[in-house]
Amino acid sequence: MNGNHFISFDNTEYAFAYKKNSELTNAHFLFSAMGKPWLVNLGLKFTPLAIKWKLPFTTPVIRNTIFKQFVGGETLAETSAVAKKLGEYDVQVILDYGVEGGDDGEHGFDHSTEEFIRVIEYAATQANIPFMSVKVTGLARFGLLEKMDQLMSEASGTLMRRYLSVIENLPANEKEEWHRVRVRLMRLCEVAAEKKIGVLIDAEETWIQDPVDALTILMMDAFNKNRVVVYNTLQLYRHDRLKFLQDSYEAAAERNFILGAKLVRGAYMEKERLRAAEMNYPSPIQPDKQSTDRDYDAAVQFCIEHLDIIAVIVASHNEQSNLLTTQLLQQKNIPLNHPHVHFSQLFGMSDNITFNLAKAGCSVSKYLPFGPIKDVIPYLMRRAEENSSVGGQTGRELGLIKKEVARRKAL
């Protein structure tokens, strides 16, 4: 659909068409609870302990509330029912296997790799699952990433030059260890390329991000020649990421690969600011929300201007940024479902954005985590925290749910 097709995110009929009345009632209950910071804080403290101590009722309560709202299921089979349901409304899925990896050393990383490959092979059998996401911390030891990042920050030159000089100077055992990390990711990308599934590399904390970026660019250079297989994730709440996007574009143009860029605002703000203050280095985070919004929208604009070399995923819950993307496409007479443009929101949030974009003919997906409850707890805790802190996200969700409930009653 082209021309100035007007997209509005206020249509709750489209937003919640896939939810039964009882599911809306549950969502209403959950977001009301998340709107009470004292309750969220209590939950954040109590839930991980309750899971660890295997307290009775904990799992069923979590399963029927926050888990059901934000997670596809414990297994791929459970998740497929949710994916199928979304597919009926032209919404695609990014599968996220919810392990945050590595309690089990090298064996654990190898196991995660096999699991990720299983997810890719499953996604390839489903019509509406074009992507899956991978955390490099599921494949590599955190301490090694941290050491490499530290050494890279002390080296000079471009990202790749710093990366290569660090690899060169690692002791033999760590060089070997890093080689295994590279092979794991390489195998994933090979299977993904063969099965035509996109691999989204998640963003990490700033103090381990550099080696992750370097590794991701190497994978793009290897696999993104004719079409995009690998995407990097850029957190625009970092004040250096707009420049990093431009540098990555230069590298792609020079090395002749397609740059996959998934644009997010970011997930570790409090943690990042705290660490910077404690360790006395300048904060990597933007001074305020306006700066983040400005850089995010500038990044969207930059990507839309270079769609010949960039494939972008606008992964945002910000209505303005999503609208801006559609407006830029319309102004340039680019189809809303251009193969290099994709939109995404988290499952359980911002349905008003996702389903209205789908209705307008955009290529859009839900980011759908799955895995055993104990493994997805860190993810769920982040959602709870985010929903209680993000400027009025909970209030927005509640308002939309109430509006839809009223609409249905009036029918």
Side-chain angles (χ1 to χ4, degrees):
M1 245 179 263
N2 252 348
N4 279 335
H5 175 78
F6 179 70
I7 297 174
S8 152
F9 295 137
D10 295 327
N11 186 322
T12 60
E13 184 183 347
Y14 293 164
F16 298 115
Y18 79 114
K19 279 200 185 302
K20 301 196 284 268
N21 289 342
S22 61
E23 292 170 321
L24 270 184
T25 307
N26 288 342
H28 185 280
F29 166 77
L30 191 64
F31 282 113
S32 301
M34 284 183 179
K36 300 181 173 66
W38 65 270
L39 193 56
V40 173
N41 287 332
L42 196 66
L44 289 172
K45 286 192 179 71
F46 176 71
T47 310
L49 292 173
I51 289 279
K52 200 163 142 187
W53 296 334
K54 299 188 169 55
L55 296 185
F57 311 123
T58 310
T59 304
V61 167
I62 293 171
R63 179 180 283 122
N64 290 313
T65 53
I66 188 166
F67 185 86
K68 205 166 163 180
Q69 180 71 22
F70 297 115
V71 180
E74 291 204 63
T75 60
L76 270 177
E78 283 177 22
T79 308
S80 73
V82 179
K84 202 171 172 166
K85 184 67 176 267
L86 292 168
E88 289 167 17
Y89 298 88
D90 297 321
V91 173
Q92 296 177 311
V93 166
I94 296 171
L95 271 186
D96 174 42
Y97 173 55
V99 285
E100 310 227 338
D103 302 339
D104 200 6
E106 293 289 295
H107 174 75
F109 299 135
D110 288 339
H111 176 70
S112 297
T113 307
E114 297 312 322
E115 288 297 300
F116 285 135
I117 288 175
R118 200 168 63 88
V119 173
I120 294 169
E121 288 173 338
Y122 173 78
T125 67
Q126 304 300 302
N128 73 317
I129 309 184
F131 303 109
M132 54 84 70
S133 76
V134 170
K135 279 184 88 64
V136 173
T137 46
L139 309 173
R141 184 168 59 84
F142 196 95
L144 178 62
L145 291 166
E146 202 168 11
K147 176 179 177 175
M148 288 173 65
D149 189 286
Q150 179 60 41
L151 293 170
M152 283 174 74
S153 70
E154 291 159 9
S156 59
T158 61
L159 177 79
M160 290 323 278
R161 208 165 270 152
R162 291 183 291 126
Y163 167 77
L164 292 169
S165 75
V166 166
I167 298 291
E168 199 75 352
N169 296 310
L170 281 179
N173 60 331
E174 286 181 338
K175 204 179 272 188
E176 190 54 41
E177 186 185 352
W178 182 250
H179 175 70
R180 290 194 294 272
V181 174
R182 251 191 32 226
V183 170
R184 283 178 198 122
L185 193 55
M186 200 88 179
R187 271 192 61 212
L188 277 179
C189 295
E190 275 166 4
V191 178
E194 182 197 328
K195 304 277 185 190
K196 298 189 165 39
I197 296 296
V199 174
L200 315 181
I201 309 287
D202 274 356
E204 303 286 354
E205 292 90 346
T206 49
W207 59 95
I208 62 168
Q209 187 63 49
D210 274 4
V212 172
D213 283 335
L215 188 57
T216 305
I217 287 170
L218 286 175
M219 294 299 146
M220 288 196 225
D221 191 25
F223 294 98
N224 287 12
K225 292 299 189 194
N226 305 317
R227 57 189 176 79
V228 63
V229 176
V230 183
Y231 290 78
N232 199 3
T233 302
L234 282 71
Q235 306 191 89
L236 275 303
Y237 72 165
R238 287 182 55 171
H239 51 64
D240 63 353
R241 290 293 93 173
L242 184 56
K243 170 87 168 73
F244 175 71
L245 172 67
Q246 292 156 347
D247 292 346
S248 300
Y249 165 78
E250 301 286 330
E254 189 183 318
R255 301 275 312 165
N256 195 21
F257 64 84
I258 301 165
L259 173 66
K262 174 179 152 220
L263 306 178
V264 302
R265 275 173 168 76
Y268 308 104
M269 188 155 73
E270 310 309 325
K271 197 176 177 183
E272 289 280 1
R273 284 199 174 126
L274 197 64
R275 185 178 190 267
E278 279 171 2
M279 296 176 68
N280 204 11
Y281 59 86
S283 169
I285 304 301
Q286 302 270 17
D288 50 36
K289 188 178 179 316
Q290 285 81 357
S291 313
T292 303
D293 291 343
R294 180 199 62 223
D295 275 12
Y296 192 95
D297 291 348
V300 165
Q301 189 142 11
F302 184 82
C303 291
I304 300 295
E305 278 163 11
H306 298 99
L307 287 181
D308 52 333
I309 293 183
I310 301 179
V312 64
I313 298 178
V314 179
S316 171
H317 291 234
N318 180 295
E319 294 181 6
Q320 200 34 56
S321 296
N322 283 289
L323 269 181
L324 172 73
T325 312
T326 61
Q327 286 160 353
L328 290 169
L329 291 169
Q330 288 168 338
Q331 283 161 18
K332 294 178 181 298
N333 260 327
I334 298 169
L336 290 177
N337 62 353
H338 186 284
H340 278 191
V341 182
H342 189 81
F343 299 83
S344 188
Q345 288 77 40
L346 298 171
F347 179 67
M349 288 168 67
S350 300
D351 287 344
N352 63 312
I353 297 178
T354 311
F355 289 87
N356 280 299
L357 284 172
K359 202 76 181 169
C362 298
S363 162
V364 61
S365 63
K366 281 296 195 192
Y367 182 90
L368 191 62
F370 74 95
I373 289 188
K374 63 174 176 41
D375 290 343
V376 294
I377 284 293
Y379 175 83
L380 289 173
M381 295 300 98
R382 282 206 295 276
R383 291 297 73 80
E385 213 164 4
E386 180 176 282
N387 275 297
S388 62
S389 68
V390 173
Q393 175 74 31
T394 300
R396 178 88 181 118
E397 298 284 352
L398 266 177
L400 290 159
I401 292 168
K402 283 178 179 155
K403 183 177 162 188
E404 176 59 10
V405 169
R407 189 193 70 80
R408 290 184 186 185
K409 279 186 178 148
L411 287 178

